[in-house]
Each structure stands twice: as structure tokens, then as C-alpha cells.
Amino acid sequence: MSETDRLHSTLSSVFGLTAFRGAQDAIIRHVTDGGNCLVLMPTGGGKSLCYQLPALLRDGCGIVVSPLIALMRDQVAGLVEAGVNAAVLNSTLSYQEASEVERRLIAGDLDLLYVAPERLLNPRCLSLLEQARIALFAIDEAHCVSQWGHDFRPEYIGLSVLAERFPDVPRVALTATADALTRQEIVERLSLDHAPQFVSSFDRPNIRYEIVDKKNAVGQLKTFIAERHAGDAGIIYCLSRAKVEDVARALQDAGIAALPYHAGLDAGVRARHQDRFINEDGVVIVATVAFGMGIDKPDVRYVAHLDLPKSIEAYYQETGRAGRDGKPSAAWMAYGLQDIVQQRRMIDDSDASDSFKRVSAQKLDALVGLAETVNCRRARLLSYFGETFASENCGNCDNCLTPPRVRDGKILAQKLLSCVYRTGQRFGAMHVFDVLVGRLTEKVQQFGHDKLSVFGIGRELNEKQWRVVLRQLIAMGHLHADSEAYGALRLTESARGVLRGETEVRLREEAEGARNRTIRAKSRRGELAPASPGQSKTDAVLYTALKAWRTETAKKRGVPAYVVLHDSTIDGIAAARPATLTELRGVAGIGDRKLEHYGTELMEVINAHRAEP
Ligand code: ADP
Ligand code: ZN
């Protein structure tokens, strides 16, 4: 059999798939032939296949280094379902269980073994691996080696030992985080200097990006869920544990199945909440960033941020947990001036080195720029990762759907900047606004600011509107909110150009209420949903029946529903309505083993819901 035939026959029989996606073909051939490489692919892009298939085709067992136990467990459950000899080796196993896995490894009984990094690096485990035949090392979530990154895991640093101890075993590093700095670190740590890098487009066309002005964040969130995502599974990120608790409670009070998740909760509670999120339909998790990495749930319909993440990478990674299955999903964030100040303070107050703080501040600035942009958010996001988006209008972000009104803001900017300057660059936003709108507060009188030429020069806007202007000027880098001096505003170098009238300033007009209404109306009319396979009424009935069968089956087998069948496979069956087992085998996601296990039951469900003429 030629290599091409071997690839395709395994793709079909084990994974139930007929074609490769994007760079998968090239990657899989390269790794199967024994090459090292770095794979950068967005979440949902199909990274797993890039090492699973070569591991099956090569001699020996593929070792997958993965940072999270829950992820390993679910991936292995899925593989075992598909008939692959897969196992995990981590701290959740008893001594006997671990010994049995080790025995199978040495006996050549395993195709894939998922190992936690700290376990792998333990000397006993390394020498065990030296006695076994190893097909490849796959280092999943490889960005965890990056000290600059948001998911740094010290254990990952030790993985450089793989290149030294196993120079002949191919190493595949995979990540959905793409910035150049992180990429460079992965290459260095894992000795991938001469290895090819397979970089896919990082666009997630099914995710709609939306960033709104924060007013009463929880109220806005409730409206967002009620109007657009009632009954959907979602993840909501907050910065602090206390806020996680508060928001979860507020959502529960509104009748939403919300559960808190943060590092302060008892491990048992955390595990229970995570399990419910994964296994039940329509559960909402309110979490700190401790939650989500390695959550493989494909049908998360939205990710909401109530606080600003630290960087564009973090934002991209977190929002990327929505819509792995390719169906329409939302990334929604409420953000305000306070968020910038708060994040800034966290950076300044940390014990990190100055260079680390500088990089962190730059990363934050880039994210604020994304939040304030009047142009396509998708284009902005992708350009941060060094990618050019082909069109100026993606048609699936708030700015493209309802373009914000933009006005010449030169005069407004000059007024605000002069006011900051004349008051001595020592005061926070509140006081500056008071002076601008000519409010005679005690503090204004105390400092004699009512005598300044700038007193009351900004009466054309109210304080709320000035706040929006201020935020944009900070985002453009003309002003700096000093976190050490309680948010005192200072001019930056670039402010000079604005004051001299040499620099253009385009400001977004805040008409958010109207924008939201348009997006909502379009959502309701179904104008925003990317085309999905046309489902007739009978399909919908079959679809519901198949889902009910899946829930039942998953419960019986004690695995998450998507391990039994993915949503996309259920879609495929409902659309194709196969009449025979052979036709059923033709649906993407139905491989030999699934057909053997579930074929008959599925045909029964399908036949019970045959379309009536
Ligand atoms: P990642 O690890 O990159 O986030 P996964 O490997 O989990 O992505 O794959 C995401 C989804 O895409 C899964 O449901 C998987 O079955 C599906 N998938 C992967 N490769 C293909 C392919 N060649 N054809 C169809 N579906 C695929
Ligand atoms: Zn856009």
C-alpha cells in the first residue's frame, strides 16, 4: 500500500473522515516520515490529527505531553471509543493502574500515551521510555514553555531534555498561540531550530467579535444572554474570585444555569462544576482564567469577558474556546476605563523585572487598541499575529456589522490634553473632567483651577462622553494613566503632535445603544448567522432524537456526550438521513468502531423518525 493510501485508509477507518483540512496533509506526511515540526493552528483547526495519525502509522507508541488532566482523560476516552489503544499516565492513577499502563507501553501494546509533563520528566519515567519504542513526541499547548506567555508552566521548560535523550524521535510542538516571541521560545526550548513551521490562518470566521462600553456589566451580560444565547453553553471570565461568585449568583437569580469556578474553590467542587459544564447541555461557567485551558468542549456558544484580559494572546486564546465545532459563536466583552487602570496597576505592583513589566504594558496597550479600534476587529486581531486579513470588512464583528460613527476629534483631543497639561499632570480623570466641564468643586477651588484658561472649555460634552474620549486617547497612546499615582494622567511624547495640530485624531462616537439594537435585530432575523446546512422540520425532529439518544448513551458509558458523537456528526446524520449502515459510515465522524458500536442503535433512531411524506 502506498503511503497516501495508508494515510487515507486510517483517516477513514479510525476517524471516520474523508479528507484532510488545510495543512494537516503536509504536517502528517512530514511527521510520519520522522520529521520535527512546529504546528500553529487555531483552536478547532484540527491539531490532534496531526500527531494522532502519524502515531498510528509509525512504529511504537506516540507520547503526548499535555498540561491538563481533564483534557487528557477526554481525549483518551474519544480515542478508545474510536478503537485506538490509548491511555493516560498521570497522578490520578493508582499505583496498580499506572503499573498496568507502563506494562502495556513496554509490551508495545499502546498507540498513544498521554502524559503530564511533570510525570514525563521524572527520571523513572524517562528511563521507562528509553526501554519502549516511541513513535513520536507531541508537545501539546507548546506555548506553555513561554515565560512571557499567559500560560507559563515551569515543568514545560524541562522538556528540552527530550531532544537530548531522544534525538531520533520526532518532536511535534503544537499551539494555538502564535505571536512571534512565543514561537521563538518554543523553537529554542524544544530544539526545533531547523524544523519547518506550519502556520495556518488564525482566523476563526464563525466567531463574532463584539466589545461594548461597560456600563453595568452584569446587567449588560444578562441582556446579552437572554436575547441571544438563552439555553446555550458559555464561559464568562472575571478577574477576581469574589467577582466570579457575585456574577454566578446574579445569573442564577436570573434563572441561568451558571456555576462558579476559581482556584479558591474546593477541588471537588471545581471538578463537579467542570464535569457538569462538559457533560450537560447549556451550562454556563463563570470563572477566573484558571478555567478553560484544555477544555475540549466543542459546542461552547459564547465567551464573555467582564474584565479586560492581559493581552491579545490571552483574549484570542480565551475567546477561541467558543465554537470549536465551527458553528456561529460569540466573543463578547464589556470594557471601560477602569479596566485599563486596574490592569496597569497589576503590572506595576507585580514583583516582575522591569523588562517583563515593559513587555506586559505593551501587550496591554495592544489589547486596548483592539478594544478601541473603529475598524474591523478581526483584521486588527489577525494583524497582531502577523497575518493580513484579505478584506476590510469581515461582516462578523460589531464594527463591520454596524460601523461606529467616527468624527474628527482633533479639537476635543486638544482640549482634554491641554487640560491635563495645565493642571500639572498630577490629577486623575475625575478632576480633569470637573475642570473641563467647569464644575466648581472644592478641589477645583483649592488648586485654583477655576482660574485656568482651560476651566469650562469642554462644556459641549458631559462627563460620560469625556470618559469615552479619554479612553480613546489612552488607547492611541497620547495619554498615560499612571497607576502609581492613583490614575494621574500624563501626556506622552505623541501628545505634542496632537496639541500642535499635526496629528489626526479620529474618535468613535458612542452610540452603543443603537449599535446593540441593530446587532440584536439582525441576530433575530437570522441575518448574522453564517449559512448552516438547511434543516427542514423533519431534520430538526431527527436531530433532537439523535441528541437525546446521545445524552442517554453518554450517561450509560460515563463519558461526555461529544465523546460519543460530535455535534457536527449529529448534524451530518440528520442532514444525510442514511438508509443503510454503509451510508451511515459515509457521514464524517463515523469510523469503523463507531459504526460497530452504535450503527444499529443509530439506524433504529433514524428509522423511527423517517420523514413522513
Ligand atoms: P484543535 O486541537 O486544533 O483545537 P481538534 O483536533 O480538537 O482541534 O479538532 C477540532 C474538530 O475538527 C474536531 O471535531 C475534529 O474531529 C474536527 N476535524 C479535525 N480534522 C478534520 C478533518 N480533516 N475533517 C473534518 N473534521 C476534522
Ligand atoms: Zn470585522
Side-chain angles (χ1 to χ4, degrees):
M1 214 196 275
S2 77
E3 181 171 286
T4 304
D5 291 344
R6 258 180 9 119
L7 284 180
H8 281 95
S9 98
T10 311
L11 182 68
S12 161
S13 63
V14 177
F15 300 95
L17 299 174
T18 48
F20 291 112
R21 233 194 232 161
Q24 277 178 338
D25 195 7
I27 298 167
I28 288 167
R29 282 172 198 277
H30 177 80
V31 178
T32 304
D33 289 343
N36 299 326
C37 63
L38 173 58
V39 174
L40 297 116
M41 216 184 249
T43 302
K47 283 186 286 301
S48 333
L49 205 59
C50 298
Y51 55 84
Q52 289 172 350
L53 196 47
L56 293 178
L57 293 174
R58 285 176 63 82
D59 227 10
C61 177
I63 306 294
V64 186
V65 184
S66 175
L68 275 195
I69 287 172
L71 174 74
M72 291 191 220
R73 190 188 57 199
D74 292 345
Q75 287 236 355
V76 167
L79 286 164
V80 171
E81 278 279 311
V84 175
N85 294 316
V88 286
L89 201 51
N90 62 34
S91 55
T92 64
L93 300 192
S94 69
Y95 178 76
Q96 269 82 10
E97 287 167 327
S99 307
E100 171 60 9
V101 170
E102 291 174 6
R103 189 197 59 73
R104 290 177 69 195
L105 173 70
I106 299 295
D109 226 17
L110 286 175
D111 296 317
L112 277 160
L113 178 62
Y114 284 68
V115 190
E118 59 278 9
R119 180 75 175 225
L120 177 80
L121 294 173
N122 135 353
R124 215 182 72 81
C125 189
L126 284 171
S127 65
L128 184 78
L129 291 180
E130 273 167 344
Q131 299 162 46
R133 274 191 86 81
I134 309 295
L136 56 86
F137 288 106
I139 298 100
D140 206 4
E141 313 283 359
H143 60 276
C144 292
V145 301
S146 167
Q147 284 171 287
W148 304 108
H150 47 93
D151 278 332
F152 176 54
R153 290 184 176 238
E155 337 51 289
Y156 261 64
I157 296 272
L159 292 175
S160 53
V161 74
L162 295 181
E164 293 153 23
R165 300 261 304 247
F166 305 88
D168 301 326
V169 179
R171 297 181 300 285
V172 196
L174 308 102
T175 175
T177 302
D179 72 312
L181 201 57
T182 308
R183 202 185 300 183
Q184 191 47 41
E185 272 193 285
I186 297 174
V187 167
E188 278 164 24
R189 297 274 179 208
L190 300 176
S191 313
L192 295 172
D193 320 69
H194 302 295
Q197 302 187 3
F198 295 93
V199 183
S200 305
S201 167
F202 272 70
D203 187 22
R204 301 284 312 277
N206 61 314
I207 296 185
R208 177 184 316 149
Y209 298 99
E210 191 178 348
I211 301 179
V212 305
D213 201 14
K214 191 186 272 185
K215 290 181 181 125
N216 65 332
V218 178
Q220 289 169 291
L221 175 68
K222 280 199 277 195
T223 308
F224 167 78
I225 296 177
E227 294 191 341
R228 294 193 237 159
H229 288 287
D232 285 347
I235 305 175
I236 294 155
Y237 286 112
C238 306
L239 218 47
S240 71
R241 296 173 186 184
K243 189 157 168 190
V244 163
E245 297 281 351
D246 289 348
V247 172
R249 214 169 300 119
L251 294 182
Q252 286 161 5
D253 290 346
I256 295 165
L259 299 170
Y261 187 103
H262 57 73
L265 288 172
D266 177 69
V269 174
R270 260 187 351 241
R272 207 161 54 241
H273 288 183
Q274 176 166 323
D275 280 348
R276 282 194 56 195
F277 175 69
I278 291 174
N279 296 322
E280 294 176 22
D281 274 335
V283 173
V284 175
I285 282 275
V286 187
T288 54
V289 287
F291 180 80
M293 195 176 134
I295 297 293
D296 222 1
K297 189 174 168 66
D299 55 356
V300 177
R301 288 280 69 86
Y302 62 91
V303 170
H305 282 96
L306 290 188
D307 290 306
L308 199 63
K310 287 185 171 44
S311 63
I312 290 190
E313 290 99 303
Y315 172 77
Y316 178 82
Q317 183 102 2
E318 284 152 24
T319 56
R321 291 173 186 139
R324 266 171 181 264
D325 56 9
K327 295 170 149 202
S329 308
W332 182 93
M333 176 160 83
Y335 129 102
L337 183 59
Q338 199 47 42
D339 285 307
I340 307 178
V341 176
Q342 184 179 30
Q343 282 287 5
R344 225 1 117 122
R345 188 170 303 151
M346 281 170 54
I347 294 171
D348 291 342
D349 291 354
S350 76
D351 302 327
S353 67
D354 283 349
S355 60
F356 186 89
K357 286 184 183 179
R358 208 163 39 245
V359 173
S360 305
Q362 282 163 4
K363 291 189 170 200
L364 177 62
D365 288 346
L367 179 63
V368 171
L370 172 74
E372 290 294 349
T373 185
V374 294
N375 301 317
C376 176
R377 299 210 198 269
R378 188 178 310 277
R380 180 89 178 213
L381 198 56
L382 291 175
S383 86
Y384 182 81
F385 295 119
E387 203 180 309
T388 318
F389 189 63
S391 146
E392 291 207 334
N393 186 320
C394 76
N396 202 21
C397 78
D398 51 357
N399 286 348
C400 288
L401 287 164
T402 48
R405 274 198 307 250
V406 177
R407 62 177 158 190
D408 182 353
K410 197 184 275 181
I411 305 282
L412 291 176
Q414 285 173 340
K415 286 182 174 178
L416 202 152
L417 294 177
S418 328
C419 190
V420 171
Y421 184 72
R422 297 275 168 215
T423 51
Q425 310 191 59
R426 297 191 288 134
F427 297 91
M430 280 307 291
H431 182 70
V432 171
F433 296 148
D434 286 340
V435 176
L436 267 175
V437 303
R439 202 180 292 137
L440 211 53
T441 64
E442 228 169 83
K443 197 164 167 186
V444 167
Q445 286 171 315
Q446 179 193 343
F447 289 96
H449 287 166
D450 50 335
K451 306 287 184 306
L452 295 176
S453 60
V454 289
F455 184 72
I457 55 162
R459 290 204 169 91
E460 68 268 48
L461 300 187
N462 62 28
E463 186 200 310
K464 225 165 87 191
Q465 293 165 317
W466 275 119
R467 195 168 280 278
V468 176
V469 174
L470 171 64
R471 226 174 49 207
Q472 295 182 69
L473 291 179
I474 293 177
M476 290 170 193
H478 300 318
L479 270 176
H480 179 82
D482 194 340
S483 62
E484 286 187 359
Y486 303 99
L489 297 169
R490 276 194 294 106
L491 304 196
T492 64
E493 203 44 43
S494 73
R496 220 180 295 187
V498 178
L499 284 168
R500 285 209 211 99
E502 293 161 3
T503 309
E504 285 297 318
V505 182
R506 316 263 307 144
L507 290 179
R508 190 173 74 199
E509 276 187 78
E510 219 39 68
E512 200 218 302
R515 276 154 66 73
N516 269 347
R517 277 193 295 281
T518 326
I519 292 180
R520 267 197 320 261
K522 287 190 184 176
S523 284
R524 268 200 298 273
R525 290 200 299 272
E527 283 172 28
L528 297 183
S532 59
Q535 280 197 2
S536 68
K537 283 225 163 57
T538 39
D539 284 338
V541 172
L542 176 54
Y543 182 85
T544 312
L546 288 167
K547 269 199 144 171
W549 169 85
R550 181 179 68 170
T551 306
E552 200 52 33
T553 309
K555 209 176 282 166
K556 253 188 280 177
R557 303 183 57 95
V559 293
Y562 69 81
V563 165
V564 175
L565 289 181
H566 277 200
D567 277 6
S568 57
T569 307
I570 300 235
D571 275 349
I573 298 174
R577 277 217 219 103
T580 63
L581 283 172
T582 317
E583 281 177 29
L584 179 63
R585 175 67 176 73
V587 174
I590 303 282
D592 289 343
R593 186 60 71 99
K594 296 231 171 185
L595 190 73
E596 190 184 305
H597 275 172
Y598 303 131
T600 319
E601 285 180 42
L602 282 170
M603 289 313 297
E604 278 168 17
V605 178
I606 298 165
N607 287 326
H609 294 86
R610 277 276 152 229
E612 276 152 36

